[in-house]
Amino acid sequence: MHLPKAELHLHIEGTLEPELAFALAARNGVDLPYADTEELRTAYLFDDLQSFLDLYYALMAVLRTEEDFAELADAYLARAAAQGVRHAEIFFDPQAHTDRGVPIGTVIEGLGRALDRSEETHGISTQLIMCFLRDKSAESALETLEAAKPYLHRISAVGLDSAEVGHPPAKFREVYAAATALGLRKVAHAGEEGPPEYIREALDVLGVERIDHGLRCMEDAELVDRLVSERIPLTLCPLSNVRLRAIDVLEQHPLRSMMDAGLLCTVNSDDPAYFGGYVGDTFHAVHEALGLDQEQLRTLARNSFEAAFLDHDEERRARYLSEVEAYAFD
Ligand code: ADE
Ligand code: ZN
């Protein structure tokens, strides 16, 4: 669906398509434990977040050089452009690479190479959000922020991802305070598999401005009221929720009731190479499965630009919003 939109919840490592994974494996002499792309795709049946993360981290072994990261990002941007994305705030997981001996500079400069030419090549403005892996220690997150200091001009925000349950936001209080002092914006995954309390903690302890997922807020009416009145954006990922079994089928996704409750919902792809679709596909899927009409889809697109970190460039936000209003569905 070509409706103009911003993508605010996208893990660049989760855009690694099997074809690119095998091409990079061959180039870098990395052995993958799958015969071919078809066999690899058969592994894409997940029981929960952890079963996905195991494959997601394992496949990153093929990413080694700046050029690899540049190719990965460029391939995503080309696909996103074809689905109407005009602005992308892109997550990356530095610890998943530095732990394998790939320097953080290789990751950031490689991604940066693709992002620098994105507006010209793909018509997409971009930002980078550096995520801490919450199943690693708070010290490791602090070391990562320290290691990123030479590259802060390329990073607009910090985030928090990986295995949620048992790793509450408060574990990362210190590193989020340090990120704030460095002028970075803040988001965090919360309420994907973890309880509503993690959403509250991300707001109160970490001071995040958006909640990634936030699906489980619906179990807590008081929290919903707060999210509505404070206009906290939620970056929902409906196809991800189905594939990781947070919900059984897309028809049961609470997106419609969340919008009806007045929540500032956005729709995103999370890890599109693994979850069966990019963000335009996701818009199409919620239209089909939940019967969202064209005006509701337009609201989701409008929300995505309202929730984007474009405060330094309100002119651009206004331009994107006017593209949403002008869009004619076919
Ligand atoms: N890393 C990549 N995708 C993720 C997700 N859906 N939840 C948490 N961490 C992730
Ligand atoms: Zn995510």
Side-chain angles (χ1 to χ4, degrees):
M1 185 168 296
H2 214 269
L3 174 65
K5 56 185 82 64
E7 175 136 76
L8 305 178
H9 187 152
L10 179 283
H11 302 264
I12 198 64
E13 296 90 346
T15 70
L16 180 61
E17 293 284 346
E19 290 72 19
L20 183 57
F22 272 91
L24 295 180
R27 191 160 90 193
N28 293 328
V30 174
D31 255 338
L32 288 177
Y34 305 93
D36 51 30
T37 55
E38 210 170 300
E39 192 184 312
L40 172 54
R41 277 205 167 84
T42 64
Y44 289 13
L45 281 178
F46 308 113
D47 298 322
D48 54 16
L49 175 57
Q50 189 61 56
S51 65
F52 155 70
L53 290 172
D54 292 343
L55 180 63
Y56 168 82
Y57 292 127
L59 268 196
M60 287 183 204
V62 304
L63 295 164
R64 304 221 59 95
T65 67
E66 269 189 39
E67 184 53 29
D68 298 341
F69 286 95
E71 266 186 55
L72 178 71
D74 194 61
Y76 160 68
L77 291 163
R79 284 172 187 265
Q83 300 203 358
V85 173
R86 301 285 284 112
H87 176 76
E89 299 185 0
I90 298 174
F91 295 141
F92 70 109
D93 285 333
Q95 290 152 296
H97 309 300
T98 52
D99 280 6
R100 304 180 288 111
V102 177
I104 194 167
T106 301
V107 181
I108 298 177
E109 294 295 2
L111 295 173
R113 220 191 279 177
L115 269 45
D116 282 348
R117 52 185 188 234
S118 171
E119 272 215 83
E120 196 183 335
T121 311
H122 304 292
I124 300 179
S125 50
T126 58
Q127 291 181 21
L128 272 181
I129 301 179
M130 180 170 81
C131 289
F132 305 114
L133 301 183
R134 68 201 306 153
D135 45 356
K136 296 193 150 300
S137 67
E139 291 70 34
S140 173
L142 281 163
E143 286 164 17
T144 302
L145 184 62
E146 191 60 35
K149 279 188 177 164
Y151 310 100
L152 287 185
H153 57 288
R154 288 207 175 272
I155 297 171
S156 56
V158 294
L160 189 62
D161 63 1
S162 201
E164 185 180 7
V165 175
H167 302 285
K171 178 177 164 187
F172 297 95
R173 180 196 304 262
E174 204 180 335
V175 75
Y176 269 68
T180 309
L182 291 170
L184 294 166
R185 317 243 353 213
K186 292 162 290 178
V187 299
H189 284 52
E192 179 186 20
E193 287 188 345
E197 190 49 35
Y198 283 18
I199 298 174
R200 246 192 223 101
E201 233 181 76
L203 294 169
D204 293 336
V205 180
L206 304 184
V208 304
E209 301 167 74
R210 294 196 301 243
I211 296 287
D212 296 315
H213 291 293
L215 187 70
R216 289 190 59 192
C217 76
M218 293 306 273
E219 297 167 23
D220 184 330
E222 225 172 89
L223 177 60
V224 169
D225 286 349
R226 174 180 178 188
L227 294 169
V228 170
S229 68
E230 295 181 16
R231 282 190 70 70
I232 306 291
L234 306 180
T235 64
L236 297 166
C237 305
L239 297 183
S240 166
N241 298 149
V242 175
R243 291 298 184 103
L244 302 187
R245 315 281 284 267
I247 54 166
D248 290 334
V249 290
L250 194 54
E251 285 73 10
Q252 285 173 16
H253 198 282
L255 172 62
R256 177 187 276 279
S257 26
M258 295 176 91
M259 291 177 76
D260 288 346
L263 288 163
L264 208 171
C265 298
T266 69
V267 158
N268 307 269
S269 67
D270 208 3
D271 301 284
Y274 295 90
F275 300 152
Y278 286 74
V279 68
D281 304 318
T282 308
F283 269 69
H284 187 71
V286 297
H287 168 64
E288 296 272 302
L290 302 174
L292 294 190
D293 65 23
Q294 293 178 349
E295 285 321 301
Q296 286 166 311
L297 298 178
R298 204 187 297 276
T299 296
L300 287 171
R302 200 182 290 126
N303 289 351
S304 72
F305 292 117
E306 278 179 14
F309 290 148
L310 283 170
D311 315 53
H312 60 287
D313 195 354
E314 290 296 346
E315 211 172 285
R316 181 186 293 277
R317 192 198 314 271
R319 182 152 33 91
Y320 290 151
L321 284 167
S322 67
E323 287 180 26
V324 173
E325 301 315 319
Y327 181 76
F329 288 90
D330 45 35

